[in-house]
């Protein structure tokens, strides 16, 4: 895999001075994906599942072909793939449809402080409504979810376990497979937030044996506005739709109606058709490269950058040991928002704030952090520019009196 | 980086390091407004005391970046002692200046005028406006 060559696929990187280090928020999009979107809007551009004319047939074929690609991508069955607006709506769908209809005040839901808001808040809502208890896995001293700590909170009352596969702040990979196995022993279902996993590693839902899994298209080279919810067939069968309208229904009467089977009962209204087709193209792109190559490359850049960062005085790195391409850090005494404006001046895009994960920021006992995240289009030169800019930023803020 | 340097070297660092009128009072004659910018974690509370149409006191507290915290301090110094009408006018002018809208240049913004430089950093406009927005809120409450 040659990152220098790959850069040419990403039109945003035509600006050679740009260093893009915010893939964990959203990845850049290659022209192969953009072309597919244009193709949809220029050549067929019509609705799916409705028109009895050939253009609509073509659109439907391509839309459903993407569903097939997604199912193969994570080793699921075709009808276990529901298209959503993104990982957030997928995780909300699990909580609202499964959670609200299956939990009572006798039950417990396990989450963690390492979750993105889109994983923890839907379950907080379920807990408030059903009075099921929300239980937090205690994190270890590095801020990781461990099997040992998970066992401390798992019990017969646990009905749902909602955790991340890869943390969007710390970049840790959770021991999710073992967590799933243990959860099933007590009869709990497991919903996995894989938004930071899907772009970087091979996911096999059959091997994991997870009950639900969610990810977004835009973090893995795909378009915005498209995401995926995987659910095991036997669970989806009994889950009610949470949105009602066109396309999801079967027979409609005055006072009742019946629904189509999954996945269609969860996809009302005109879906993000171009988005789904674009996601299919993103999957092709990733498959072509191979996840082994992608994750090795990211890890190499991350290790290189961490080693250099640790040599700079006044830099605090919060996740030295993470297995993926995310670095969370601060310049001592400098608010991340002040720092990020400096980096912006060097045309380096990175994140400052709490990364939609306030609980882990509170756990770290800081007001906010800086975060960089590497992907397949980043190079050692990007790392060097970043490190140089960190040094200059530190010097600058010192010089003005921070 | 010149723009950034100019911005920080002026009033901002001085007020960031030595904030004036900092700390809230437990006094019911003050109106209190708390504003958070949840994306970056800025979190500011502003109190104002209006008596006989005069801004008698402005207090602030919270956490945030240097632009956010210093602007609260500068604001307090600028507004204390002004009539309510003038304070309202200054606030409106300041917020218009920040967002590149038309604004009345004859209004004396005093030290707060340095935040004009923030409009070169559009992503930071929010940081410089949050304290003033909160002050506006306290004025509305006192009506």
């Amino acid at each position: 895999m040659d990152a220098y060559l790959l850069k040419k696929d990403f039109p945003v990187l035509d600006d050679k001075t740009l260093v893009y280090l915010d893939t964990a928020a959203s990845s850049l999009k290659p022209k192969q994906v953009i072309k597919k979107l244009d193709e949809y809007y220029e050549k067929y551009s019509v609705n799916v599942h409705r028109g009895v004319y050939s253009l609509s047939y073509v659109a439907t074929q391509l839309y459903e072909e993407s569903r097939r690609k997604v199912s193969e991508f994570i080793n699921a069955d075709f009808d276990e793939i529901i298209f959503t607006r993104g990982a957030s709506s997928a995780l909300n769908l699990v909580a609202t449809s499964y959670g609200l209809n299956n939990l009572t005040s006798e039950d417990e839901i396990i989450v963690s402080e390492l979750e993105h808001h889109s994983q923890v808040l839907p379950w907080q809502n379920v807990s408030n409504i059903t009075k099921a208890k929300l239980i937090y896995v205690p994190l270890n001293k590095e801020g990781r979810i461990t099997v040992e700590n998970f066992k401390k909170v798992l019990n017969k009352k646990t009905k749902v376990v909602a955790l991340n596969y890869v943390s969007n702040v710390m970049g840790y990979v959770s021991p999710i497979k073992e967590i799933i196995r243990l959860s099933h022993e007590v009869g709990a279902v497991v919903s996995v937030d894989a938004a930071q996993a899907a772009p970087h590693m091979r996911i096999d839902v059959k091997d994991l044996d997870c009950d639900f899994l969610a990810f977004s298209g835009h973090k893995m080279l795909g378009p915005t506005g498209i995401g995926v919810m995987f659910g095991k067939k036997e669970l989806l069968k009994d889950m009610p739709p949470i949105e009602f309208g066109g396309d999801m229904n079967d027979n409609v009467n005055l006072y009742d109606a019946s629904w189509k089977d999954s996945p269609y009962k969860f996809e009302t209204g005109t879906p993000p058709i171009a988005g789904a087709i674009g996601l299919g193209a993103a999957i092709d792109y990733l498959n072509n490269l191979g996840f082994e190559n992608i994750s090795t490359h990211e890890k190499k850049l991350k290790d290189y950058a961490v080693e250099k960062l640790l040599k700079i005085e006044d830099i605090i790195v919060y996740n030295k040991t993470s297995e993926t391409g995310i670095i969370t850090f601060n310049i001592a005494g400098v608010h991340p928002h002040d720092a990020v404006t400096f980096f912006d001046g060097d045309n380096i895009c990175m994140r400052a704030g709490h990364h939609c994960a306030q609980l882990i920021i509170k756990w770290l006992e800081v007001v906010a952090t800086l975060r960089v995240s590497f992907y397949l289009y980043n190079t050692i030169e990007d790392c060097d520019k970043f490190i140089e800019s960190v040094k200059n930023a530190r010097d600058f803020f010192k010089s003005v009196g921070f | 980086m010149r723009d950034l340097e100019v911005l920080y070297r002026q009033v901002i660092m001085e007020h960031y390091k030595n904030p004036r009128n900092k700390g809230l009072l437990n006094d019911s004659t003050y109106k209190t407004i708390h504003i958070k910018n949840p994306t970056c974690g800025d979190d500011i509370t502003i109190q104002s005391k209006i008596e006989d149409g005069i801004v008698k006191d402005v207090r602030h507290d919270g956490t945030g970046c240097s632009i956010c915290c210093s602007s609260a301090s500068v604001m307090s110094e600028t507004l204390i002692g002004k009539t309510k009408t003038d304070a309202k006018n200054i606030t409106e002018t300041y917020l218009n200046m920040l967002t590149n809208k038309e604004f009345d240049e004859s209004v004396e913004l005093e030290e707060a005028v340095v935040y004009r430089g923030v409009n070169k950093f559009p992503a930071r406009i929010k940081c410089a406006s949050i304290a003033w927005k909160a002050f506006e809120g306290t004025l509305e409450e006192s009506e």
Side-chain angles (χ1 to χ4, degrees):
Chain A
M1 199 185 90
D2 183 348
Y4 298 93
L5 263 180
L6 295 182
K7 269 187 194 283
K8 295 192 172 67
D9 287 337
F10 295 82
V12 172
L13 296 177
D14 283 352
D15 173 1
K16 300 279 181 267
T17 66
L18 181 75
V19 178
Y20 187 73
L21 300 178
D22 198 18
T23 294
S26 195
S27 73
L28 300 176
K29 285 77 181 161
K31 48 185 190 227
Q32 289 85 339
V33 168
I34 300 166
K35 207 180 102 210
K36 280 284 169 196
L37 296 176
D38 286 347
E39 219 172 82
Y40 165 76
Y41 287 116
E42 285 169 6
K43 294 193 176 148
Y44 35 103
S45 189
V46 298
N47 220 323
V48 293
H49 301 153
R50 291 157 174 83
V52 190
Y53 45 86
S54 35
L55 266 190
S56 175
Y57 179 77
V58 174
T60 306
Q61 286 289 97
L62 285 159
Y63 177 72
E64 294 302 338
E65 168 62 12
S66 269
R67 196 190 307 277
R68 189 193 58 75
K69 278 184 189 169
V70 172
S71 68
E72 283 173 8
F73 181 65
I74 58 170
N75 195 25
D77 290 345
F78 180 84
D79 49 2
E80 293 177 321
I81 300 299
I82 295 151
F83 283 130
T84 64
R85 271 192 299 115
S88 295
S89 27
L91 294 168
N92 273 278
L93 173 54
V94 178
T96 307
S97 177
Y98 186 87
L100 286 183
N101 290 290
N102 288 286
L103 298 189
T104 71
S105 58
E106 304 293 300
D107 300 328
E108 293 182 359
I109 305 161
I110 295 180
V111 293
S112 86
E113 285 155 283
L114 202 51
E115 302 314 308
H116 189 279
H117 294 156
S118 63
Q119 176 71 310
V120 74
L121 293 180
W123 291 106
Q124 211 178 71
N125 182 50
V126 169
S127 162
N128 288 335
I129 293 171
T130 63
K131 305 295 170 217
K133 243 172 139 183
L134 203 58
I135 309 280
Y136 285 85
V137 187
L139 302 178
N140 79 356
K141 62 179 196 314
E142 277 191 321
R144 287 175 185 271
I145 299 167
T146 63
V147 171
E148 194 191 353
N149 282 353
F150 178 72
K151 283 183 184 161
K152 290 180 193 157
V153 289
L154 183 73
N155 66 69
K156 273 186 233 145
K157 288 185 180 169
T158 311
K159 286 282 151 20
V160 170
V161 174
L163 295 172
N164 68 82
Y165 200 156
V166 174
S167 155
N168 74 312
V169 178
M170 304 299 267
Y172 298 146
V173 180
S174 303
I176 202 74
K177 192 174 167 182
E178 181 62 5
I179 283 173
I180 292 166
R181 195 186 66 76
L182 292 166
S183 305
H184 287 166
E185 278 180 8
V186 302
V189 301
V190 183
S191 170
V192 180
D193 170 8
Q196 297 293 344
H200 311 285
M201 56 169 77
R202 173 66 59 202
I203 293 174
D204 184 329
V205 293
K206 293 213 164 65
D207 178 55
L208 290 177
D209 198 24
C210 56
D211 301 285
F212 302 105
L213 183 134
F215 58 94
S216 289
H218 71 96
K219 291 191 202 289
M220 48 178 282
L221 311 180
T224 56
I226 184 78
V228 171
M229 176 197 145
F230 155 83
K232 272 186 186 164
K233 233 179 286 192
E234 55 272 28
L235 291 168
L236 294 177
K237 192 164 70 62
D238 295 327
M239 282 162 56
I242 60 165
E243 288 186 316
F244 303 85
D247 209 26
M248 52 75 73
N249 53 74
D250 178 22
N251 185 27
V252 178
N253 303 311
L254 280 177
Y255 301 105
D256 59 47
S258 55
W259 321 128
K260 282 183 179 159
D261 288 336
S262 179
Y264 305 107
K265 74 172 164 185
F266 298 110
E267 291 180 9
T268 190
T270 296
I273 304 168
I277 294 168
L279 176 59
I283 288 176
D284 290 341
Y285 192 99
L286 292 171
N287 282 340
N288 251 334
L289 292 176
F291 275 114
E292 197 128 312
N293 294 326
I294 296 169
S295 52
T296 308
H297 176 72
E298 292 166 359
K299 184 71 178 14
K300 189 182 82 189
L301 297 181
K302 186 248 165 187
D303 287 344
Y304 176 83
V306 167
E307 199 197 314
K308 300 239 162 179
L309 274 180
L310 292 176
K311 287 186 185 141
I312 308 173
E313 215 181 309
D314 300 324
I315 301 299
I316 310 149
V317 178
Y318 299 104
N319 64 334
K320 280 174 244 179
T321 64
S322 81
E323 302 87 342
T324 60
I326 292 175
I327 306 173
T328 290
F329 70 105
N330 266 327
I331 305 175
V334 180
H335 192 285
H337 238 208
D338 286 313
V340 87
T341 298
F342 186 93
F343 297 123
D344 192 28
D346 283 350
N347 214 6
I348 298 175
C349 309
M350 65 169 89
R351 184 83 186 261
H354 50 54
H355 323 296
C356 302
Q358 288 188 33
L359 298 180
I360 190 66
I361 297 300
K362 286 177 182 160
W363 186 91
L364 287 168
E365 296 178 341
V366 293
V367 290
T369 73
L370 293 162
R371 179 188 71 184
V372 295
S373 45
F374 297 107
Y375 205 23
L376 45 90
Y377 36 65
N378 293 119
T379 59
I380 289 286
E381 279 71 20
D382 289 341
C383 292
D384 287 337
K385 280 187 195 164
F386 158 64
I387 293 294
E388 194 52 33
S389 188
V390 171
K391 284 183 192 158
N392 292 338
R394 195 263 328 256
D395 293 345
F396 168 76
F397 287 107
K398 264 197 171 163
S399 79
V400 294
F402 271 81
Chain B
M1 269 319 109
R2 275 293 302 157
D3 291 337
L4 192 63
E5 188 157 359
V6 169
L7 191 64
Y8 278 97
R9 285 216 191 273
Q10 285 172 321
V11 185
I12 290 180
M13 280 313 292
E14 223 284 293
H15 278 264
Y16 184 47
K17 288 284 164 190
N18 309 294
R20 330 284 202 264
N21 305 306
K22 191 172 162 135
L24 301 177
L25 299 177
N26 195 359
D27 179 339
S28 61
T29 61
Y30 284 73
K31 299 291 177 196
T32 305
I33 293 281
H34 172 216
I35 298 194
K36 253 183 110 144
N37 177 356
T39 49
C40 64
D42 285 351
D43 187 322
I44 287 281
T45 304
I46 300 291
Q47 288 183 322
S48 76
K49 178 178 174 147
I50 315 286
E51 221 174 62
D52 306 325
I54 304 287
V55 180
K56 288 281 185 197
D57 197 10
V58 178
R59 312 286 310 173
H60 63 97
D61 205 357
T63 53
C65 64
S66 59
I67 293 182
C68 171
C69 294
S70 65
S71 72
S73 171
V74 169
M75 178 186 79
S76 69
E77 279 206 326
T78 309
L79 297 181
I80 292 173
K82 297 284 186 304
T83 65
K84 194 178 163 183
T85 319
D86 282 349
K88 214 173 170 174
N89 199 14
I90 291 170
T91 305
E92 204 179 292
T93 307
Y94 174 86
L95 290 171
N96 283 339
M97 170 189 83
L98 274 189
T99 48
N100 273 330
K101 287 192 194 122
E102 251 182 69
F103 68 97
D104 183 353
E105 300 211 24
S106 69
V107 175
E108 184 50 70
L109 294 177
E110 300 172 20
E111 275 195 320
V113 79
V114 301
Y115 292 87
R116 188 169 193 173
V118 174
N119 67 20
K120 295 202 180 71
F121 307 96
R124 305 298 297 282
I125 290 170
K126 241 187 196 167
C127 312
S129 46
I130 173 168
W132 292 76
K133 286 248 169 79
F135 174 76
E136 246 185 354
T138 65
L139 282 189
E140 278 161 26
E141 286 227 328
S142 69
E143 265 159 18

